[in-house]
Amino acid sequence: MFDKLRNAFKSFTNTIVNSITTTELSEDKLSEIRDNLFMQLVESDVAVDVAEAICDAIINYLRGGLKVPRFGDKELMIRNGILEVMNKLFSEIQDVDLISEVTRELQVKKPVILLFLGGPNGYGKTTTIAR
């Protein structure tokens, strides 16, 4: 799954780099880029709401006056911009105190059910849950 996401963002970055001939992207090009990224994210099993939020944030960043030098490393500049947008999106997610939440739920009902979502094999899921 992570490889699919990495490829989606790499393809997205390449699309932008290849389409920039001036310092601005047209609304039509931004719409096309957004649609392509959205489809790649959804095909990589990203939830539709999350894919929309990511696409909107990145397109707003690109629309907000991204100035790319005519010469130089356009790909690096765009990649850094996308990383900045993604970091901002993830930093807005509130932390959850799992112990407090479980304690609160135990007062209302028993048993408390926790769902752990998987990831690639060998990444320590079972070890983490056992701890």
Side-chain angles (χ1 to χ4, degrees):
M1 178 175 147
F2 292 115
D3 289 336
K4 282 184 174 181
L5 286 174
R6 186 177 303 124
N7 290 338
F9 280 109
K10 184 174 175 92
S11 173
F12 172 70
T13 302
N14 289 339
T15 300
I16 295 170
V17 169
N18 292 335
S19 65
I20 292 180
T21 54
T22 63
T23 57
E24 273 181 40
L25 293 169
S26 69
E27 284 300 317
D28 289 340
K29 191 62 178 176
L30 286 171
S31 179
E32 177 186 331
I33 289 169
R34 185 201 185 286
D35 292 344
N36 287 339
L37 175 61
F38 177 79
M39 290 307 297
Q40 289 175 356
L41 291 174
V42 171
E43 288 173 358
S44 298
D45 298 325
V46 174
V48 171
D49 292 345
V50 174
E52 286 178 351
I54 291 171
C55 290
D56 290 344
I58 291 174
I59 294 302
N60 287 337
Y61 168 77
L62 293 173
R63 185 180 287 130
L66 173 67
K67 300 295 182 196
V68 179
R70 190 167 203 195
F71 302 103
D73 195 349
K74 295 178 190 176
E75 183 176 352
L76 178 64
M77 186 173 188
I78 291 168
R79 184 181 301 124
N80 288 341
I82 291 170
L83 286 173
E84 180 183 319
V85 169
M86 296 299 289
N87 284 333
K88 184 175 185 245
L89 280 174
F90 287 121
S91 69
E92 294 172 359
I93 297 172
Q94 294 180 353
D95 290 335
V96 175
D97 182 3
L98 185 61
I99 302 298
S100 297
E101 289 294 318
V102 169
T103 303
R104 188 178 56 78
E105 283 295 315
L106 279 172
Q107 293 171 356
V108 177
K109 65 180 179 181
K110 292 184 181 179
V112 173
I113 300 169
L114 300 176
L115 172 66
F116 291 91
L117 300 176
N121 291 336
Y123 275 70
K125 299 175 296 294
T126 304
T127 303
T128 301
I129 291 170
R131 287 183 185 163

